[in-house]
Structures are given as C-alpha cells and as structure tokens.
Amino acid sequence: MNTSYGHSFISSRALRLAFSLVGTSLIVGLGLLRVHTQAQFTFASLMLLPVLANTWLVGRVGGWLSAILAALMWGYADHVSTGAHETTWIPGLNTFIHLINYGVVVELVHKVQELLQREANNARVDRLTGLLNRRGFMETFEEQIKLAHRLNASFSIAFIDLDRFKQLNDTRGHKEGDAALKMAGTILLNATRSTDVIGRLGGDEFCVVAFSRSPNDAEIEALRLHAQLTEALSKFTPVGASIGVAFFDEAELSATEMIQKADEIMYSVKKAGKGSVLVKVV
C-alpha cells in the first residue's frame, strides 16, 4: 500500500471515529439530561445534529444506530417520568415516532452522499467509454508516480491513437465512430491489469500507465494490446491503432512531461506509416 495514503486513511478513519464518539456521547448526555429533568427539557431538534453528523461521517449504518439510540433515550426519559396513573404506552409511541423522524434524516443524508459521490465519479469518468477522462487519468497518474517513487519501480506509458478515425466518422457517421471508441475502451479494460491506469485523453487518444520490469516486457505487452485492438477494430474499416511507448526507469519528470514523451513516440509511429508499436527508453 502507498504508505502516505495508508497513514492518511488511518488518520481519516480515526478522526471519523472520534467525531462519532463525540456525537454518541452527545446523544447519551442529552438523554440523561432529559431523564434528570423528568422529561421537561425538550430538545428533539438537538438530537438531530449528532444523528446527522454520525450519518455523514460513519455512514448509513452508523446513522441508524445513532437514530435508534436517540429515540430510545427519548423514550426512556418519557418512561421514567410517567406516573403510575398515566398511560404507559405513550412513551413507546413517542419513541417510535422519533425513530421515524431521525430515520428520515438518516436516509436523506445517505441519499445526498450517494448523489455527491455519483457526481464526483462522473467528473472523472468518460461517459462514452467508461474509462477515466483526462482529469481522472491525470489525478490517478499522479498517485501512481508517488507509488513508483516509493517502490523504486520502473513503468511504461503507452500512448494510443486510432488511425484514420476521422475517415470513419466522415464515411460511416459518428454513430460508428462512437462504437469504435467504445470497442477500444472495452479492449483496453479487458487487456490490462487492475493496477494499470487507463484513460481516454480526448477524441481518439488513449493512454495506459503500467509498471514494467524492462523495455522488453513493455514491448511485449504493447504488441499484445496492439494485436487485440487491431482485431477488434477490423469491423470499423479503415480504423487501426498506433502505439508509442515510453519506458521510464524512474519518475524524474512531471506527469504531463512523461505523457508528452509517449505522445512524441506515437507520432513517430504515425510518420513511419501507422499501425505499429514503437518502444523507447526515456
């Protein structure tokens, strides 16, 4: 695991746990205060705050546990304050009603979180191919560079351009062009490893970052990928693929500079006649 990420994750989890304990303590404290005042102190809205906070920080399950605790503390205060001559089922009904109210808050907060997460994911993903878009790719690549530094690992960047893609759009329409891009995205996802970073940088340009032990290994993988792309794209005549691969023993350049190097190698393939693979050590 990326060490800095691991520490960050642990710190984040510890911080959330601390806030959750504070929220839970607040619920218990407010409940005991209500018991002590013989249920004369009304603070249903105050109970909502720790319920809301725990839902946001811990998640749906944590929110529901807080909601149940808050409702039970409310009901217990009503129970101990009920005289022998009073109706005893009222505290139970109040507990149930408050649980519903707190539960609604939990579900609303959960839905908002899901919506925000979905929007965040959409901002990083190319909707046509399902790959990372340029923004998502660059962000993930930056993390990969840090990991490569930490592991002292070598890696390669394959810059892929679809040959004669404009001709396909002009002769067979953009619907066929989109289908070709989707096909290329599917091949890239299926032909690469889970540790690889794959993205569509725009138009008909794709990029794959992978840990590679040697330039020879990088070439073998690039040739295999090229063969699969060529076969899959054969139904979208005249489209083909050119791949330029930059191999790095270590990450000394910025992410943008390294991608530029791979892009330049890919253009060398284009100038030499397209439809092949070229690997260079940078």
Side-chain angles (χ1 to χ4, degrees), residues 105-125:
V105 171
V106 171
E107 291 302 312
L108 287 176
V109 171
H110 177 65
K111 291 299 181 184
V112 169
Q113 283 186 314
E114 283 188 332
L115 178 61
L116 291 175
Q117 185 61 51
R118 193 179 304 119
E119 289 300 317
N121 290 337
N122 288 340
R124 301 177 76 250
V125 175

Side-chain angles (χ1 to χ4, degrees), residues 1 3 29 32-33 39 43 51 63 75 83 120 124 165 178 182 191-192 196 198 200 203 218 227 231 254 273:
M1 174 185 284
T3 306
L32 293 177
L33 180 60
F43 46 80
V51 170
R124 301 177 76 250
F165 181 73
D178 287 348
K182 288 180 182 179
T192 51
D196 297 342
I198 316 159
R200 179 188 176 200
E231 181 182 358
S254 68

